[in-house]
Amino acid sequence: MDLPQIRQLGISFYQPEEVLADYNVDADQLAEFIRAVTTTVVPQVITNTEPEILEVVAILSGGRSRLWLMSSYFDEPDEALLERLRTIPAPSFDGPVALSIGFGIAGAEPPEALEPPVPDEWREAIVDLPDDAALAIPEDIVEFLFD
């Protein structure tokens, strides 16, 4: 039996490198978190046969994480996969770090410019703020998402 192809498409950060450097992001700790996400995702989706771009979006803050799954094929996230991902220990840095890890499943090709997705919950968290409120992601929305 041929299994569908799964490949990691890349990792996108929502903050510039200078911010990550200010937060003393430990590359080894972050790499371990990303490896754990990958080794959790692959066995869960290995039998999927529909082409799909799957994004695991994470905010890591104070040793805690919030995670979202965004799919090009499914409207609702795979709750079993999301629960497994939530058990991965989050590294702690000097500030919140937001990233997205993309996977191409069953031969799905990403768009030419793969932009990090913004989960609906992020938009909903700030919907009542004034239109002229300038927000940095994730620094200014962490308080809304972790309460």
Side-chain angles (χ1 to χ4, degrees), residues 25-45:
V25 173
D26 182 293
D28 291 334
Q29 289 180 4
L30 190 56
E32 182 56 36
F33 177 80
I34 292 167
R35 268 192 297 279
V37 167
T38 301
T39 59
T40 301
V41 167
V42 170
Q44 188 73 22
V45 301

Side-chain angles (χ1 to χ4, degrees), residues 15-26 93-97:
Q15 299 136 294
E17 285 184 42
E18 303 80 45
V19 171
L20 298 177
D22 287 345
Y23 292 163
N24 295 311
V25 173
D26 182 293
F93 309 116
D94 293 343
V97 174

